[in-house]
Amino acid sequence: MDFDQEDGKNMMMKGIWVNVVVLVTIAIATKLVLQLWWRPRKVAKHYSNQGIKGPPYNIFIGNMKELVEMMLKASSQPMTLSHNILPRVLPFYHHWKKLYGATYLIWFGPTPRLTIADPGQIREILSTKAEFYEKYESHPLVKKLEGHGLISLKGDVWVHRRKTISPIFHLENLKMMIPIMGKSVAHMLDKWSLISNSGKVELEVSEWFQNLTEEVITRTIFGASYDDGKKIYQLQAKQIVFAAESFQKVFFPGQRFLPTKRNRTTWKLDREIEASLMKLISQRKESLLRRREEEEGVGVGVGVRVRDGGEGEECHRDLLEILIEASMSNNNNKNTSEKKITDNDIVEECKSFFFAGKHTTSNLLIWTSILLAMHPQWQQLAREEVMRVCGARDIPTKDDVSNLKTLSMIISEVLRLYPPVVATIRRAKTQVDLGDINIKEETELLVPILAVHHDTTIWGPDASEFNPSRFSQGVSRAATHPTTFMPFGLGGRQCIGQNLALLQAKLAIAMILQKFTFEISPNYKHAPTVLMLLYPQFGAPIIFRSL
């Protein structure tokens, strides 16, 4: 009898567990059906009723298979020396636009994504109604490199941080860096002259410009602590190489957590970078406290620094100093719980600005050199202007750089044709009207910057041609719509470092034009492609000749 009761209890428990498993399985299956089939159908119908179509949704993978196939095919071989790069760089947009129009729906897995290329709607997303949209989360590998700083922050924390950092990137503060930038460029050009054979040399300029911008961004961030900062960023440069290699391999969720040899190396680099930055922050805090005491004692002005050589001279304020001062002043802020800047925040900002600043500016220099090499008539016009404005000065002054109007037009045209970021993504935080489109919550909106920059209805029939004169009346009058030029973004989240990038590019190109003429090497293969930013897939070999 007891055995029968025990067996009965066991049977009952087994029955309960079977029922639990069945219920859990049904719940999971139901959720998957809702997420992977019912919800996409409902979203597709919502947009279809508004006249918005797109390629059909495939369960779980969406349109990823077709998209990846188009990207791989487009990048499989170089193109002709043409600036009509949209079919190669954004082949999926180019292809589906022809079938469904400029606004269409695609699927990244089960996530809906609308492409938005209308200037008025883009302005709403990025500027006038930006509060309804949030920044898209970066790929895990990119997020690791860019740090959890201003680039990825949101809401009130982002507002406060941007306000804190903005003074560093005011143009007048950056102009104080021109002598330092100029020395770095001059040092690079001296090396070019030394390695030239009979006044002629072929250079792969990518690495040269990356080293140059690395030096300048390190001085922008660390100032007087440049030597220590350089050692830290040599470590981060290694991280970037690892990430670039990883992007070219198959990536699956959770891979970055596995203890592979590559991951163990990057984890070690992480620890070294953080420890070095923390040590440097501590040293600079002590130095700032000592300097404050000295300045209060002798009445030294805030805008003057006494350099190692002993001469008082005006110089720029660096990012590290401003962030440390902000963190030290939190004690007097009633809202420190919301806005306090910690040492860890400073670490993340230093990582963010090195990653973004180095690659954005170096890419601008690379493409400007390529396009001037491809268009010798504009190279000569820019050189004549540089010689006229700068004269025999080895390093142009801040007034010289401001007066290089033709060079400014050229750089704007380079940024139009070859923007560093070819597209940007936002996510709707709530259901919202965008022009005449009703956007469902959590729909992602893709703004194809490159496509907008090459649109003939906006820029004219020569939209895919290199014509810097279109900017002769300024950026706002270059196109039919004033907000369609957005190489550094648009609205409140516009790249805070754009003044630094433009200033450094103008100075470097001006100094190159003073000493060299240059042309495309026969070894150059025109192959713009995207790996985080737009870059030449097979490098940028250019032939330089001394003047």
Side-chain angles (χ1 to χ4, degrees):
M1 187 70 176
D2 290 340
F3 286 110
D4 290 340
Q5 288 181 345
E6 189 67 28
D7 289 342
K9 288 181 181 179
N10 289 337
M11 291 292 290
M12 185 172 66
M13 290 302 297
K14 287 180 181 179
I16 291 172
W17 278 112
V18 168
N19 289 335
V20 168
V21 170
V22 169
L23 289 172
V24 170
T25 303
I26 292 172
I28 293 173
T30 302
K31 187 173 182 179
L32 287 173
V33 169
L34 289 174
Q35 289 294 320
L36 302 179
W37 183 76
W38 175 250
R39 180 176 172 272
R41 284 174 58 87
K42 188 176 179 182
V43 170
K45 185 177 180 181
H46 174 82
Y47 290 114
S48 178
N49 290 339
Q50 301 178 72
I52 298 171
K53 308 292 185 180
Y57 168 76
N58 296 304
I59 194 163
F60 189 70
I61 63 171
N63 303 123
M64 290 297 295
K65 183 175 181 289
E66 307 105 288
L67 188 149
V68 170
E69 286 176 350
M70 281 189 267
M71 294 290 285
L72 289 174
K73 183 179 179 181
S75 61
S76 62
Q77 57 186 4
M79 59 181 288
T80 59
L81 290 180
S82 163
H83 304 308
N84 184 26
I85 66 172
L86 181 64
R88 188 180 202 278
V89 178
L90 290 177
F92 67 91
Y93 177 83
H94 178 71
H95 174 72
W96 282 326
K97 179 187 176 183
K98 289 187 292 185
L99 298 177
Y100 306 110
T103 300
Y104 59 84
L105 178 68
I106 56 176
W107 296 88
F108 273 58
T111 303
R113 184 174 289 182
L114 281 183
T115 61
I116 302 292
D118 176 78
Q121 293 174 343
I122 292 172
R123 187 166 177 264
E124 285 188 35
I125 295 167
L126 302 179
S127 182
T128 58
K129 293 185 178 180
E131 68 271 18
F132 295 106
Y133 308 94
E134 62 183 1
K135 190 176 182 295
Y136 177 74
E137 291 291 335
S138 301
H139 187 287
L141 287 173
V142 176
K143 196 169 183 179
K144 181 182 181 68
L145 292 172
E146 69 184 14
H148 191 59
L150 191 66
I151 296 173
S152 59
L153 292 176
K154 301 175 184 177
D156 292 341
V157 178
W158 173 82
V159 172
H160 177 252
R161 190 72 55 81
R162 186 173 176 108
K163 184 178 179 181
T164 300
I165 292 171
S166 290
I168 310 162
F169 296 100
H170 287 167
L171 194 54
E172 292 307 311
N173 183 57
L174 292 175
K175 283 180 178 178
M176 297 178 196
M177 288 188 65
I178 286 180
I180 299 171
M181 292 183 192
K183 288 177 183 177
S184 298
V185 177
H187 184 58
M188 180 185 74
L189 298 183
D190 287 343
K191 289 182 179 179
W192 290 9
S193 297
L194 286 172
I195 62 177
S196 62
N197 181 18
S198 301
K200 174 183 174 181
V201 61
E202 179 176 314
L203 298 171
E204 213 299 10
V205 296
S206 301
E207 187 173 347
W208 287 96
F209 288 147
Q210 285 170 9
N211 290 337
L212 173 67
T213 54
E214 181 178 312
E215 184 171 334
V216 171
I217 199 68
T218 304
R219 292 192 185 280
T220 306
I221 295 169
F222 293 109
S225 305
Y226 168 77
D227 290 333
D228 292 321
K230 186 175 182 180
K231 293 174 184 175
I232 293 167
Y233 284 157
Q234 285 172 348
L235 298 175
Q236 190 167 357
K238 291 180 182 178
Q239 275 190 326
I240 292 170
V241 171
F242 280 127
E245 291 174 353
S246 296
F247 262 107
Q248 297 171 18
K249 298 180 180 180
V250 176
F251 179 86
F252 57 87
Q255 181 177 330
R256 66 189 186 279
F257 301 115
L258 298 178
T260 62
K261 183 179 179 181
R262 182 183 300 277
N263 283 345
R264 291 198 305 271
T265 302
T266 58
W267 296 339
K268 183 181 177 183
L269 287 171
D270 279 341
R271 292 192 296 270
E272 290 181 23
I273 290 168
E274 185 167 342
S276 299
L277 281 169
M278 285 294 190
K279 181 180 178 182
L280 184 54
I281 290 166
S282 177
Q283 292 172 347
R284 283 294 291 271
K285 279 185 176 180
E286 293 175 6
S287 176
L288 277 170
L289 287 171
R290 287 197 303 270
R291 197 180 75 203
R292 281 183 179 180
E293 292 171 359
E294 292 170 0
E295 289 178 353
E296 288 172 1
V298 297
V300 176
V302 173
V304 175
R305 302 282 185 270
V306 178
R307 294 194 183 275
D308 294 338
E311 56 186 273
E313 102 180 40
E314 191 179 34
C315 70
H316 77 285
R317 300 183 69 199
D318 60 75
L319 176 69
L320 188 59
E321 178 178 309
I322 284 184
L323 287 171
I324 289 173
E325 286 182 345
S327 71
M328 293 167 68
S329 66
N330 280 148
N331 292 333
N332 299 321
N333 190 332
K334 295 179 180 179
N335 296 319
T336 52
S337 61
E338 296 179 7
K339 300 180 179 180
K340 182 174 176 59
I341 297 177
T342 66
D343 287 356
N344 187 65
D345 292 332
I346 299 173
V347 167
E348 294 300 314
E349 291 296 351
C350 290
K351 289 162 62 177
S352 293
F353 277 96
F354 177 76
F355 172 75
K358 172 183 174 179
H359 292 278
T360 301
T361 310
S362 62
N363 272 29
L364 174 54
L365 284 167
I366 291 165
W367 287 117
T368 303
S369 300
I370 290 173
L371 266 65
L372 284 178
M374 291 170 66
H375 299 278
Q377 70 277 22
W378 279 102
Q379 183 185 147
Q380 185 56 30
L381 285 172
R383 182 176 294 105
E384 290 171 359
E385 178 186 63
V386 170
M387 297 300 191
R388 183 175 65 253
V389 171
C390 304
R393 284 183 289 277
D394 290 334
I395 299 177
T397 66
K398 61 182 181 181
D399 292 330
D400 291 341
V401 176
S402 298
N403 290 324
L404 296 174
K405 307 301 182 185
T406 300
L407 189 52
S408 293
M409 288 159 47
I410 288 169
I411 289 174
S412 292
E413 182 71 340
V414 172
L415 287 167
R416 184 185 72 83
L417 290 169
Y418 297 82
V421 177
V422 300
T424 189
I425 301 169
R426 295 291 186 270
R427 181 185 290 112
K429 294 192 288 187
T430 184
Q431 189 149 328
V432 59
D433 288 331
L434 175 63
D436 58 353
I437 305 173
N438 181 258
I439 305 294
K440 286 187 76 67
E441 182 179 357
E442 295 189 356
T443 298
E444 294 176 355
L445 306 174
L446 183 144
V447 177
I449 295 172
L450 181 66
V452 175
H453 280 191
H454 285 246
D455 191 335
T456 55
T457 64
I458 296 170
W459 300 93
D462 66 343
S464 291
E465 297 176 17
F466 183 70
N467 178 20
S469 61
R470 72 176 83 246
F471 289 97
S472 60
Q473 300 300 314
V475 168
S476 62
R477 297 185 180 182
T480 57
H481 197 284
T483 58
T484 49
F485 182 65
M486 45 187 166
F488 296 103
L490 195 67
R493 294 202 75 107
Q494 192 171 38
C495 176
I496 196 172
Q498 65 174 314
N499 284 338
L500 176 62
L502 293 171
L503 185 65
Q504 186 179 350
K506 285 180 71 174
L507 180 66
I509 296 298
M511 293 178 68
I512 292 171
L513 289 167
Q514 284 179 310
K515 292 196 172 185
F516 297 93
T517 62
F518 46 100
E519 62 190 46
I520 285 291
S521 165
N523 298 317
Y524 174 71
K525 298 176 182 178
H526 194 48
T529 194
V530 178
L531 182 64
M532 294 182 276
L533 298 176
L534 184 66
Y535 80 109
Q537 184 177 347
F538 302 109
I542 297 176
I543 296 173
F544 291 86
R545 289 183 171 84
S546 300
L547 287 173

